[in-house]
Amino acid sequence: VRGERVLNQPAGHVEAGESLIDAARRETLEEAAWDVEPTAYLGTYQWTSASGAAFLRFAFVAEPVRHHPEQALDVGIEQAIWLTRDEVAAQPERLRSPLVLSVIDDYLAGVRLPLSALRWIA
């Protein structure tokens, strides 16, 4: 939703020569100022918006390693906040997409796939 404050997990793109796992590390650092170490693969999520834009999300479970409070967040990211599932669900109009709540629900349900389920051929 352009122009409005939206809720989302760290997300983005994969750069040339970068694995999905490395992209998850980088995006979390850029958008939340946290170094993380992915420990499991949560899953792949696909959604098409009402306008026809297609989204494909690869979600991970990660352990926090180090916070960098002095680091500026990516352009457009106002702040990184922690919310409970109920706090997120209570604001459906602010969700970047329905993928946000789907990822949280799968995490809370204990979904965990091995990182080895992702193969990166360099």
Side-chain angles (χ1 to χ4, degrees), residues 3-19:
E4 297 179 24
R5 290 180 166 180
V6 297
L7 299 175
N8 199 14
Q9 292 99 356
H13 64 281
V14 177
E15 294 183 354
E18 183 178 56
S19 71

Side-chain angles (χ1 to χ4, degrees), residues 25-106:
R25 287 184 188 110
R26 178 184 50 75
E27 289 290 350
T28 304
L29 179 60
E30 291 174 354
E31 296 186 2
W34 273 94
D35 287 321
V36 297
E37 187 54 41
T39 58
Y41 177 50
L42 196 59
T44 305
Y45 302 78
Q46 186 173 357
W47 174 68
T48 303
S49 72
S51 69
F55 295 87
L56 186 62
R57 176 174 291 197
F58 296 86
F60 296 87
V61 176
E63 289 291 324
V65 175
R66 181 172 176 237
H67 185 227
H68 301 272
E70 73 289 348
Q71 179 175 313
L73 303 179
D74 266 2
V75 173
I77 307 291
E78 292 183 17
Q79 68 182 130
I81 58 173
W82 295 94
L83 299 173
T84 67
R85 189 243 184 248
D86 290 342
E87 290 170 328
V88 173
Q91 304 176 71
E93 72 286 351
R94 290 187 60 201
L95 299 184
R96 175 73 169 97
S97 76
L99 303 179
V100 173
L101 205 50
S102 294
V103 166
I104 293 170
D105 287 341
D106 284 352

